[in-house]
């Protein structure tokens, strides 16, 4: 079995799909597997091939999916690629089906690969919607707004697109503390994604420890408007799960307490 591996970035994954497909034309689709790095446990008799990103190859894959299958298929695999589990091989198997079945591939829900990608895509989409609602920003002394999130899936950039549309003229950052990633948005400029060093991540974490008058106002408002007789922790938890509350302003203790 030949195993094609790549980094956990969409351009790398698309390049990996391209090279695996080219090899399969002579080696056979059933004699290969695709995995994202790092490889935690290599199989003894498998041959591992690392694939470097190639923008031209990635563009060919994405263009082929859009035109030869459907825009819906393109969006399906784009969201599924952000799923917390490795979906790269599932995406490859779906593309084998898609290039033969065409646009109806995404509606073939009895196919296990279509079903798996649909579930992953739905999970990612739901989490994006959650963090668009629950992201909270703190303001640094320099006037930069910083939001910390810890999503299960790699959704920090899709979440940031929502705020780029609504706060185009403000400088802000959204930090994925789980993966040490940050989307940086300079005022009136396009956003960009970057990986953080350990020192940068530790420095950004301090933004939540600073005193902020607006944070205190929000916490006071949250407490003052609560009606004790109508508190329903179970209902609240269903709509705002506990694991999402770590960085939510209204649930954080003031600094020094």
């Amino acid at each position: 079995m030949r195993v094609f591996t790549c980094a956990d970035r969409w351009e790398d994954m698309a390049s990996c799909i391209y090279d695996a497909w080219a090899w399969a034309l002579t080696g056979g689709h059933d004699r290969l597997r695709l995995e994202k790095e790092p490889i935690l446990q290599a199989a003894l008799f498998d041959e591992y091939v690392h694939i470097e990103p190639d923008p031209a190859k990635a563009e060919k894959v994405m263009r082929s999916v859009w035109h030869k299958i459907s825009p819906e298929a393109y969006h399906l695999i784009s969201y599924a690629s952000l799923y917390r589990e490795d979906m790269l091989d599932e995406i490859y198997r779906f593309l084998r089906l898609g290039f033969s079945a065409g646009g109806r591939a995404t509606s073939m829900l009895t196919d296990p690969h279509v079903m798996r990608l649909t579930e992953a895509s739905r999970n990612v989409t739901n989490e994006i919607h959650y963090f668009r609602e629950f992201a909270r920003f703190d303001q640094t002394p320099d006037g930069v707004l910083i939001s910390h999130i810890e999503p299960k899936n790699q959704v920090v950039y899709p979440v940031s697109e929502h705020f780029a549309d609504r706060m185009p003229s403000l400088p802000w950052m959204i930090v994925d503390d789980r993966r040490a990633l940050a989307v940086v948005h300079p005022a009136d400029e396009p956003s960009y994604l970057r990986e953080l060093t350990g020192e940068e991540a530790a420095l950004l974490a301090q933004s939540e420890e600073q005193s902020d008058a607006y944070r205190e106002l929000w916490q006071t408002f949250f407490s003052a408007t609560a009606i004790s007789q109508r508190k329903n922790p179970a209902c609240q938890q269903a709509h705002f799960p506990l694991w999402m509350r770590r960085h939510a302003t209204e649930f954080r203790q003031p600094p020094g307490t």
Side-chain angles (χ1 to χ4, degrees):
M1 180 73 71
R2 175 167 289 200
V3 183
F4 290 85
T5 69
C6 64
D8 188 8
R9 292 183 293 266
W10 175 238
E11 188 174 274
D12 296 66
M13 289 188 276
S15 302
C16 189
I17 290 171
Y18 183 96
D19 285 351
W21 199 285
W23 182 88
L25 295 178
T26 55
H29 290 287
D30 296 328
R31 295 179 56 204
L32 62 84
R33 187 174 71 252
L34 284 71
E35 293 185 14
K36 291 193 295 187
E37 298 170 354
I39 305 301
L40 300 179
Q41 186 172 1
L44 183 60
F45 298 106
D46 288 344
E47 177 186 358
Y48 289 83
V49 180
H50 170 76
I51 303 299
E52 291 291 336
D54 186 320
K57 293 178 180 178
E59 174 65 24
K60 289 180 181 179
V61 171
M62 293 184 283
R63 187 170 59 246
S64 296
V65 173
W66 185 280
H67 293 290
K68 295 183 179 180
I69 306 179
S70 68
E72 291 77 13
Y74 176 88
H75 292 299
L76 178 67
I77 65 174
S78 297
Y79 280 106
S81 69
L82 302 175
Y83 192 55
R84 57 183 174 271
E85 297 177 9
D86 188 350
M87 300 298 296
L88 182 54
D89 195 67
E90 292 287 349
I91 292 173
Y92 184 86
R93 305 303 163 188
F94 167 77
L95 293 181
R96 287 189 62 192
L97 171 67
F99 286 131
S100 61
R104 58 191 180 90
T106 54
S107 61
M108 300 170 65
L109 299 179
T110 56
D111 183 273
H113 305 299
V114 178
M115 184 185 304
R116 185 81 174 108
L117 287 187
T118 301
E119 292 175 351
S121 178
R122 184 183 298 115
N123 187 281
V124 169
T125 302
N126 289 341
E127 192 170 46
I128 291 172
H129 288 310
Y130 265 124
F131 280 104
R132 283 174 178 172
E133 296 179 17
F134 299 148
R136 305 289 189 255
F137 288 86
D138 293 305
Q139 190 171 36
T140 67
D142 297 330
V144 179
L145 300 173
I146 300 180
S147 174
H148 292 267
I149 61 175
E150 294 189 40
K152 294 181 180 179
N153 303 303
Q154 192 169 318
V155 298
V156 64
Y157 195 83
V159 169
S160 75
E161 292 177 320
H162 172 83
F163 296 98
D165 182 56
R166 285 154 178 78
M167 302 189 298
S169 299
L170 293 176
W172 50 263
M173 299 175 61
I174 301 180
V175 183
D176 182 344
D177 290 336
R178 188 187 295 265
R179 297 170 182 80
L181 293 173
V183 175
V184 183
H185 179 84
D188 296 313
E189 294 183 22
S191 305
Y192 59 90
L193 181 69
R194 62 163 296 174
E195 296 181 0
L196 301 174
T197 64
E199 182 178 354
E200 290 171 333
L203 182 63
L204 288 172
Q206 297 176 9
S207 65
E208 293 186 312
E209 301 174 2
Q210 299 170 354
S211 178
D212 187 330
Y214 290 102
R215 180 199 305 166
E216 296 171 5
L217 284 172
W218 175 249
Q219 290 173 335
T220 301
F221 171 79
F222 181 78
S223 300
T225 56
I227 301 175
S228 58
Q229 294 83 355
R230 294 188 179 182
K231 285 185 177 180
N232 189 337
C235 181
Q236 185 185 54
Q237 185 173 334
H239 289 87
F240 200 166
L242 295 177
W243 66 271
M244 291 186 177
R245 300 183 188 182
R246 180 174 179 182
H247 302 284
T249 305
E250 55 268 42
F251 294 101
R252 294 210 313 260
Q253 293 295 325
T257 61

